[in-house]
Amino acid sequence: MDKPLISVITINYNGLTHTLDFLASFQKVSYPHVEIIVVDNASSEDPGAIAERYPNTILVRNPKNEGFAGGNNRGMEVATGEYFFLINNDTEVAEDILDVLLERAKASPKVGLICPKILYYDQPDTIQYAGFSAINPVTGRGKGKGYLEKDLGQYQIAEPTQLAHGAAMFIPRSVVLEIGMMAELYFLYYEEMDYCERIKDAGYTLWYEPGSHILHKESMSVGKNSLLKTYYMSRNRWLFLRRNVTWPLFFFTAAYYFAVALPKNILVHLTQGEWSHAKTYLNGFVAGLFMQNIQENLTLVHHENRN
């Protein structure tokens, strides 16, 4: 009972090198009772090296790419642990990560999700995540605490936070059994924020835990200036608001979006000469407007492959 089984779940999508680096970092983790599950989201490259190098790893071969939420859900479906640690494959972890997160989770039955401090892999003295403010129901924007600040120990106190970071989320199985799994209609981005709202609505708290950390390479599978990222960030920001903001407040949300957010973002892309991004942003917004549950847009993938 002191060392319950923890299921570590990560997704691989054409990121074999990063996944192998991730698994290598987990060999140094001090916690003794772990199962590691890698969900391969129908990669074009053969993920067989994962099982060859790390035979104790559970490899789930997904027949299609189901995105972030779907991939993690498939992992949770086969997980047997008392706790789930959903973590990106483009990360490396500190040795004590599971001990620290488990201790926070066991502090109260109302702890629903815990995120560690997240630092940048290429700049390990720089903070990516130290907590997050609530999403503004009108603008759809939130603010990351400590974002891009040098880590001087200024965020070393564990505290409740409004939103998690999808790169690393530690969740008791009991919470997942109560509220269900992540909404798969998002595919990429905002699904963790939607999940956070559901966890809080069920009466649980989210925690930022700086007692340990991960190093995040960020946007390795999608790309930092990807059309896919532009599409799904546009689509899902609106989708999130439609699912989580109620009337009459949603009237002001819609007014802001049509009058400010939509023209502003398209104009920024156009002034930077990013014509394809402007069009993709508009397409994403329309998809979110009509609640279209679209899987990965292969047209965008082919376009990016040509560039």
Side-chain angles (χ1 to χ4, degrees):
M1 293 297 294
D2 290 337
K3 301 292 183 181
L5 179 64
I6 297 174
S7 298
V8 176
I9 301 167
T10 194
I11 300 170
N12 178 69
Y13 178 67
N14 293 331
L16 185 58
T17 299
H18 300 301
T19 300
L20 292 173
D21 289 344
F22 165 84
L23 292 171
S25 78
F26 247 95
Q27 305 312 301
K28 303 173 185 177
V29 167
S30 57
Y31 190 80
H33 201 193
V34 182
E35 66 175 7
I36 300 180
I37 300 167
V38 176
V39 179
D40 182 73
N41 252 346
S43 296
S44 58
E45 58 183 8
D46 184 6
I50 294 171
E52 292 172 5
R53 296 194 193 182
Y54 301 98
N56 293 328
T57 298
I58 301 168
L59 178 60
V60 177
R61 293 176 181 259
N62 212 352
K64 62 180 181 178
N65 185 356
E66 296 187 293
F68 180 83
N72 276 304
N73 287 349
R74 301 296 83 76
M76 288 190 282
E77 286 170 353
V78 303
T80 59
E82 189 175 336
Y83 296 88
F84 301 152
F85 188 30
L86 311 183
I87 178 169
N88 279 19
N89 71 323
D90 60 344
T91 62
E92 296 187 15
V93 298
E95 295 180 11
D96 62 350
I97 186 73
L98 296 181
D99 298 278
V100 171
L101 295 176
L102 178 62
E103 182 178 3
R104 175 59 53 193
K106 293 170 70 175
S108 168
K110 284 302 179 183
V111 174
L113 185 153
I114 310 102
C115 275
K117 180 190 290 183
I118 302 177
L119 305 172
Y120 285 99
Y121 179 84
D122 293 329
Q123 295 178 283
D125 63 344
T126 302
I127 296 170
Q128 181 178 20
Y129 174 87
F132 215 94
S133 67
I135 294 291
N136 185 298
V138 174
T139 66
R141 298 291 190 186
K143 185 177 181 181
K145 192 172 183 180
Y147 180 62
L148 295 182
E149 292 182 23
K150 294 297 181 183
D151 184 15
L152 304 175
Q154 67 271 44
Y155 300 110
Q156 282 303 111
I157 298 176
E159 61 181 5
T161 186
Q162 289 298 314
L163 292 170
H165 194 296
M169 302 187 295
F170 192 88
I171 310 170
R173 170 187 284 273
S174 58
V175 173
V176 177
L177 291 176
E178 179 178 345
I179 71 169
M181 298 186 182
M182 284 189 278
E184 296 184 21
L185 77 165
Y186 286 96
F187 192 75
L188 284 173
Y189 305 117
Y190 275 89
E191 58 275 275
E192 77 274 23
M193 297 182 184
D194 184 274
Y195 207 43
C196 286
E197 296 304 323
R198 287 167 56 196
I199 292 172
K200 290 188 293 183
D201 287 346
Y204 294 98
T205 54
L206 315 177
W207 278 80
Y208 160 67
E209 174 53 72
S212 191
H213 69 276
I214 68 168
L215 301 176
H216 188 200
K217 299 174 184 178
E218 192 189 24
S219 296
M220 289 298 180
S221 61
V222 176
K224 295 184 179 181
N225 193 33
S226 162
L227 287 176
L228 282 177
K229 185 172 183 178
T230 296
Y231 176 82
Y232 282 109
M233 288 294 284
S234 172
R235 171 186 181 267
N236 293 350
R237 180 182 172 198
W238 178 252
L239 205 58
F240 171 85
L241 292 170
R242 289 202 63 177
R243 282 170 55 88
N244 291 283
V245 180
T246 57
W247 290 94
L249 182 57
F250 187 74
F251 171 82
F252 297 99
T253 305
Y256 174 85
Y257 238 86
F258 281 101
V260 180
L262 181 62
K264 175 185 174 183
N265 280 281
I266 291 176
L267 183 61
V268 167
H269 285 306
L270 290 176
T271 56
Q272 293 177 350
E274 298 174 343
W275 305 96
S276 57
H277 280 274
K279 180 181 178 181
T280 298
Y281 184 90
L282 180 59
N283 289 340
F285 174 78
V286 171
L289 180 65
F290 293 103
M291 301 288 279
Q292 295 173 8
N293 186 9
I294 301 172
Q295 292 295 299
E296 187 172 3
N297 190 322
L298 296 179
T299 302
L300 295 182
V301 175
H302 296 324
H303 177 88
E304 291 195 330
N305 288 340
R306 291 197 299 267
N307 291 325

